Amino acid sequence: MSVPVSTVAATMNARLKPYCQLPRRLPQFAVPRQVSPGLDGPDLMLHTFQTRDAYEVLREHGVLVADPALAEPLFAEAYEWMGKQMKRRLATSADGMLWLWARHTRREFTRAARGLRGEVLITVQVEREQALLSHFHDWHVVLNRGLLVPQCGGGSIEAWEVRFEASNADWDLRADDLRDVPRTQWPEDLRSELEASWESIFDPDT
């Protein structure tokens, strides 16, 4: 589960070690085997890989603020939509967003670190109301401008696949000609239907 937040502020531990090199065996200072098993408390323990420059900014100033200019231009529409959701759902606000992991395992962090040599794993604790929890894999449906068919808790994979195929076949018939058209130029009913489907990425039951 990934989390966009507007600003990360933390008291940095001088002993925090950057991932300059990853040993073959799991390091003793790695994150716990189960990361943030509970997401309903008043505080969240979050983790993010950042560049060394970002790490030095955080060490020096105690605050790391997102820079919207660094966002991927290809996904500008998706980030704009997420920004609107943050303003609607969070008590805090800012122009950019920082992405952090709220639920991850040590094995997954170790696998990710192998491809991010020279970057730094930063762990912070923030108030629950400062972070907007979302489902990492379903967020990619938003990035790809697809109709999101959530897999509700308790349902079988087979039942979800039937719903998914039917929903997407119907959607393709109605919206296939709009794939390369900016979403601001879509008919209002189709755009509203698409964006409404995306909101399930914030629903823990999915």
Side-chain angles (χ1 to χ4, degrees):
M1 189 167 276
S2 59
V3 185
V5 299
S6 55
T7 302
V8 165
T11 300
M12 298 304 297
N13 187 333
R15 293 173 297 177
L16 184 63
K17 300 179 180 180
Y19 273 89
C20 297
Q21 293 184 351
L22 188 71
R24 292 183 179 226
R25 289 185 293 178
L26 293 175
Q28 294 300 314
F29 55 85
V31 293
R33 291 186 182 277
Q34 181 65 38
V35 179
S36 301
L39 302 177
D40 298 325
D43 296 313
L44 293 173
M45 191 69 70
L46 306 176
H47 312 270
T48 177
F49 283 100
Q50 296 290 333
T51 64
R52 188 171 306 219
D53 288 342
Y55 169 70
E56 293 299 339
V57 169
L58 186 56
R59 283 193 61 181
E60 181 177 353
H61 302 286
V63 177
L64 183 62
V65 180
D67 182 358
L70 299 178
E72 170 57 57
L74 181 63
F75 301 127
E77 285 187 345
Y79 287 125
E80 180 183 9
W81 177 83
M82 180 61 85
K84 290 179 180 179
Q85 296 297 316
M86 293 175 67
K87 290 178 180 178
R88 181 161 70 92
R89 298 168 183 267
L90 298 179
T92 59
S93 63
D95 294 330
M97 59 190 73
L98 291 168
W99 294 89
L100 303 97
W101 292 104
R103 177 174 286 162
H104 223 37
T105 65
R106 185 166 68 184
R107 176 177 295 179
E108 290 167 329
F109 275 121
T110 303
R111 185 183 301 118
R114 290 193 177 98
L116 297 171
R117 294 182 184 276
E119 297 198 7
V120 181
L121 175 63
I122 298 174
T123 298
V124 297
Q125 183 173 326
V126 301
E127 295 179 2
R128 173 66 181 82
E129 63 183 16
Q130 289 184 293
L132 180 58
L133 293 171
S134 62
H135 192 284
F136 174 72
H137 292 293
D138 284 351
W139 163 244
H140 286 72
V141 177
V142 181
L143 291 175
N144 290 287
R145 307 173 78 193
L147 184 73
L148 180 55
V149 182
Q151 182 180 343
C152 300
S156 67
I157 294 293
E158 292 75 15
W160 172 80
E161 288 178 343
V162 171
R163 287 193 298 112
F164 175 84
E165 294 294 340
S167 297
N168 274 274
D170 173 67
W171 177 256
D172 287 344
L173 286 175
R174 294 183 291 131
D176 193 55
D177 293 340
L178 300 172
R179 290 188 181 276
D180 298 323
V181 178
R183 213 167 63 250
T184 54
Q185 299 177 21
W186 283 33
E188 179 60 31
D189 59 334
L190 290 179
R191 188 176 72 225
S192 297
E193 181 181 351
L194 181 68
E195 294 181 357
S197 77
W198 293 346
E199 295 198 26
S200 64
I201 71 174
F202 307 117
D203 184 358
D205 291 337
T206 63

